[in-house]
Amino acid sequence: MTAILQTHRRQLWKHFDIWLLALVTLLTIFGIAMIRSATFESPELADLPFVQIRWGVIGLVVAFVAAAIDYRYWQPLSRPLYFFILAALAWVFIVGDVLHGAQRWANFFGLFFIQPSELAKIGTILWTADYFSRNRERIKEFKWVIYSAIYSGIPAVLVILQPDLSTAIIIGVIWFALIFAAGLKWQHIAAFVGTGVLAAPIAWLALADYQKLRIIQFINPAVDDAAYYNIRQALISIGSGGWFGEGYNYASQVNLRFLKVRHTDFIFSALSAEFGFVGSMLVILVMFLIIARILRVARLTPDPFGGLICYGVAAMLFYQSVFNIGMNMSLLPVTGLPLPFLSYGGSSLLTFMFAIGLVESVALRHKLIEY
């Protein structure tokens, strides 16, 4: 019996996507190196590279643990997880710490700090994948589409109230990507697009003043020249890199600290200054390859729940990468979305590592589903 179990485990781990993990690890290590460069000779930020190293190691452990657990166990747990995350999001309003005008972090009984909105991203992938895999035939009926929108919309509203519009939009993007992958009718897509256009004025009124200012500033930078300062510095940083960059730890915009939040939201501008167009394109290529490997796993598995998990993770990575790079290049409004695996932040890194672990769990077991 022991020999049979060992053989089974070897066969199972044979399907582990080592290329996916290698690409993710490569980006994470490069991100730590960039954080070190971006915080060099800044005493108040000197510990951040070491903190990110710890989060990176913990993240790899989390990814392997998530891969070892059969992803199908998450399907019956997705509904209890839904209510747990709703409770965590509500708990933020009671004990959450206010940082930069937003209440997003919560201290849970003095044991640890977490950002429940990051949990909501993973939760949305799991409970939406469960919902659509259980209602594959009903999804053709518009009322079931509406039910799913309400289902995912409740945590999104709680995230907006923090306020954290960018994460709420990610929840919406994940929901739409999964419902599209589940077979949403084109008529329903047209209905949602039309509703979105009609609801835009109402959504505008619901935005916080600083969120409105970011959009206005994106359309017309002259409205608030001081607020546009870092976007201008980001563009200067990207342009100063030329083809091959000024060299690691030698970019003037980064070293002289003209570029703010260069280790988080604007780390893409920092790496573009140091490694130029070629270096930034290589980073984008690695991110593209990661998403391509995830979509490959989605196509390989015959299990709807596993496939939808992979599509949700791919959508989350794609949207967050495009939006972060877009805001660095002044092509999209500024938000607080970090660049996956590269920007400083423990909660964000653990979220992405856990998501990669889920994809690896699907990859490990896609052959078993066929029998």
Side-chain angles (χ1 to χ4, degrees):
M1 180 61 71
T2 304
I4 293 174
L5 289 174
Q6 289 177 346
T7 302
H8 175 74
R9 291 194 191 99
R10 283 197 296 269
Q11 290 177 342
L12 185 69
W13 287 93
K14 181 177 67 175
H15 301 293
F16 187 85
D17 193 335
I18 191 65
W19 285 107
L20 174 59
L21 183 65
L23 291 167
V24 167
T25 303
L26 177 64
L27 270 193
T28 303
I29 293 172
F30 183 67
I32 292 169
M34 282 307 309
I35 292 167
R36 185 262 178 191
S37 176
T39 59
F40 187 68
E41 292 186 349
S42 298
E44 70 281 7
L45 304 175
D47 291 338
L48 297 191
F50 304 101
V51 174
Q52 191 74 351
I53 289 172
R54 289 198 295 270
W55 283 119
V57 172
I58 295 171
L60 284 174
V61 173
V62 167
F64 274 104
V65 170
I69 298 171
D70 191 331
Y71 70 92
R72 288 166 293 183
Y73 291 153
W74 291 103
Q75 190 159 13
L77 292 174
S78 62
R79 277 158 280 179
L81 180 65
Y82 179 80
F83 292 105
F84 170 78
I85 292 179
L86 286 184
L89 290 170
W91 184 251
V92 169
F93 297 107
I94 301 172
V95 299
D97 293 330
V98 178
L99 183 65
H100 303 303
Q103 196 171 15
R104 301 173 187 175
W105 291 87
N107 184 343
F108 277 73
F109 310 108
L111 298 175
F112 51 86
F113 282 89
I114 66 169
Q115 195 172 357
S117 57
E118 289 292 332
L119 296 178
K121 295 178 188 177
I122 295 295
T124 300
I125 293 172
L126 292 173
W127 62 60
T128 309
D130 168 57
Y131 180 91
F132 291 148
S133 61
R134 287 188 291 106
N135 299 286
R136 293 177 67 193
E137 299 304 322
R138 293 172 175 173
I139 209 66
K140 304 297 181 183
E141 302 175 34
F142 193 62
K143 66 177 182 179
W144 289 96
V145 177
I146 297 298
Y147 292 158
S148 72
I150 296 172
Y151 192 46
S152 295
I154 294 174
V157 169
L158 290 174
V159 171
I160 288 175
L161 293 176
Q162 292 181 358
D164 188 357
L165 179 62
S166 54
T167 300
I169 292 174
I170 290 180
I171 292 174
V173 167
I174 293 170
W175 168 79
F176 188 81
L178 292 187
I179 199 171
F180 182 81
L184 181 65
K185 289 183 176 180
W186 286 103
Q187 302 95 301
H188 296 166
I189 294 177
F192 276 112
V193 172
T195 303
V197 171
L198 294 175
I202 300 174
W204 173 260
L205 294 175
L207 293 178
D209 290 340
Y210 80 91
Q211 293 169 336
K212 292 178 181 178
L213 179 60
R214 285 180 176 180
I215 296 174
I216 294 172
Q217 174 192 307
F218 170 70
I219 297 171
N220 182 16
V223 169
D224 190 344
D225 190 64
Y228 190 70
Y229 170 84
N230 211 50
I231 293 295
R232 185 182 296 110
Q233 294 303 321
L235 293 174
I236 293 172
S237 299
I238 294 171
S240 67
W243 282 98
F244 300 103
E246 298 179 78
Y248 181 70
N249 209 26
Y250 282 97
S252 55
Q253 294 298 119
V254 178
N255 282 355
L256 299 178
R257 306 178 193 177
F258 290 112
L259 181 66
K260 308 303 179 184
V261 288
R262 53 197 174 275
H263 59 294
T264 54
D265 297 356
F266 288 91
I267 199 166
F268 181 79
S269 298
L271 72 89
S272 296
E274 294 189 356
F275 297 98
F277 176 79
V278 173
S280 60
M281 288 305 298
L282 285 174
V283 168
I284 292 173
L285 175 62
V286 172
M287 189 67 70
F288 172 81
L289 291 175
I290 289 172
I291 295 171
R293 297 298 298 186
I294 294 171
L295 293 176
R296 171 183 171 274
V297 177
R299 290 192 299 270
L300 287 176
T301 181
D303 176 29
F305 180 64
L308 289 172
I309 286 176
C310 295
Y311 284 123
V313 173
M316 177 176 68
L317 286 175
F318 177 80
Y319 172 80
Q320 197 152 329
S321 300
V322 168
F323 215 98
N324 178 276
I325 294 171
M327 84 175 185
N328 272 254
M329 300 180 69
S330 193
L331 299 175
L332 291 169
V334 174
T335 67
L337 289 178
L339 187 58
F341 307 112
L342 289 164
S343 294
Y344 173 80
S347 292
S348 174
L349 184 57
L350 287 185
T351 297
F352 291 122
M353 286 298 196
F354 182 76
I356 294 299
L358 287 175
V359 174
E360 291 285 10
S361 180
V362 177
L364 288 175
R365 294 163 180 87
H366 77 274
K367 286 288 185 182
L368 300 178
I369 305 295
E370 297 176 1
Y371 298 103

